[in-house]
Amino acid sequence: DAGVIQSPRHEVTEMGQEVTLRCKPISGHDYLFWYRQTMMRGLELLIYFNNNVPIDDSGMPEDRFSAKMPNASFSTLKIQPSEPRDSAVYFCASSLAGAYTIYFGEGSWLTVV
Amino acid sequence: QKEVEQDPGPLSVPEGAIVSLNCTYSNSAFQYFMWYRQYSRKGPELLMYTYSSGNKEDGRFTAQVDKSSKYISLFIRDSQPSDSATYLCAANTGTASKLTFGTGTRLQVTL
C-alpha cells in the first residue's frame, strides 16, 4: 500500500512568495492532519480534517496559512505571503476513524530566504 | 507550558546499553499514549502504543505509563546502532482525536 504522499519534498522560496504544499492521504482514511516540525517547538498540529471537512484549525499560526481538502484524496496547505520564520518541515498525516495512530508522510522541507 | 514535555537530549549510549526515554504530561484527560520513532529526514512512525496506565512490551521495547504521576517511559534493551533516531512521545484523549507530541529526544547508539 502506498503511504501518505507529500510534494514537494524540498522547497526553497523567497520571502513574500506563495508556497503550496500538497498531500495525498492513504486511501480510505477519514482523517487528514497537517503538522509543522521545528527544532524549537517540535511537532505542532496546524489543522485537521474529517471526511474533507476542517474540524480544528486552532493551530494555524495566522491568516497567511490556509488549508483545503477538496476531495478525499487530496489536500493543500498554502502560505501566502511566506516569511523566513515559516521555514520548517511540514508533515501531512492520515488515519482511520476509530484508530489510535496516524500515519505520516515523509514531509515537505520548506526554506524561506 | 506544553501539554507534553520531553527532554530533547541528545542522548548517547554504547551499543548494548539499556535506554530510558521519558516524558511528562499535564492533561489528565489523556488516555492513549504512544511512542513514535523518527529517522533523519523521514516522517515519524509508530513504535509503541499504550492505553491508560500500565506496561506494554514488544521485543526489545517496553512502554510504561503511570497516570498517577503523569509520566510516560520507553525502555530499549540491548540497544543497537539502528535504534539511533529521534523518539517522540505523544498522547491524546481518544481515538482519531488530535495527537499532542513532545519535542522528541535524539538518541545516538554508538559502536
Side-chain angles (χ1 to χ4, degrees):
Chain A
D1 271 347
V4 175
I5 299 172
Q6 292 186 245
S7 65
R9 287 298 314 278
H10 301 274
E11 174 99 3
V12 180
T13 191
E14 291 185 346
M15 184 173 63
Q17 296 298 305
E18 179 180 291
V19 174
T20 300
L21 308 178
R22 298 173 178 80
C23 175
K24 177 179 169 53
I26 294 173
S27 178
H29 280 194
D30 312 275
Y31 285 82
L32 183 138
F33 305 83
W34 281 102
Y35 281 87
R36 179 173 67 177
Q37 187 175 41
T38 61
M39 290 290 289
M40 290 299 294
R41 301 174 67 89
L43 262 173
E44 300 174 288
L45 179 65
L46 300 177
I47 185 171
Y48 77 96
F49 296 82
N50 178 215
N51 292 322
N52 315 338
V53 176
I55 302 301
D56 185 347
D57 65 354
S58 59
M60 297 286 259
E62 47 197 278
D63 291 346
R64 297 184 298 106
F65 286 69
S66 62
K68 293 182 180 180
M69 192 166 185
N71 58 62
S73 58
F74 184 67
S75 177
T76 59
L77 177 68
K78 190 172 290 188
I79 308 172
Q80 165 65 12
S82 58
E83 297 182 3
R85 60 192 167 121
D86 301 329
S87 298
V89 186
Y90 291 82
F91 286 102
C92 177
S94 69
S95 74
L96 277 169
Y100 52 78
T101 189
I102 62 176
Y103 297 86
F104 285 83
E106 298 212 318
S108 292
W109 299 71
L110 174 65
T111 302
V112 183
V113 297
Chain B
Q1 183 190 5
K2 289 176 70 71
E3 284 190 296
V4 179
E5 299 276 1
Q6 187 173 8
D7 186 335
L11 179 63
S12 182
V13 301
E15 183 180 8
I18 296 174
V19 176
S20 172
L21 302 168
N22 306 293
C23 293
T24 58
Y25 66 93
S26 58
N27 187 344
S28 299
F30 284 151
Q31 295 287 339
Y32 296 84
F33 303 91
M34 292 133 213
W35 284 94
Y36 279 76
R37 179 174 59 195
Q38 185 177 19
Y39 290 114
S40 180
R41 307 191 74 80
K42 296 288 188 182
E45 56 181 355
L46 181 69
L47 186 62
M48 297 282 290
Y49 144 73
T50 311
Y51 171 69
S52 194
S53 280
N55 291 2
K56 187 169 185 177
E57 190 173 318
D58 184 1
R60 297 184 295 110
F61 298 88
T62 300
Q64 195 171 77
V65 176
D66 182 348
K67 292 193 73 179
S68 63
S69 58
K70 297 187 176 67
Y71 205 76
I72 312 165
S73 300
L74 177 71
F75 300 96
I76 308 173
R77 291 183 301 279
D78 187 25
S79 56
Q80 303 294 310
S82 58
D83 296 329
S84 299
T86 296
Y87 290 81
L88 301 114
C89 58
N92 68 11
T93 57
T95 58
S97 69
K98 58 184 184 180
L99 276 174
T100 300
F101 284 86
T103 51
T105 300
R106 191 157 61 89
L107 171 67
Q108 181 73 37
V109 180
T110 57
L111 290 168

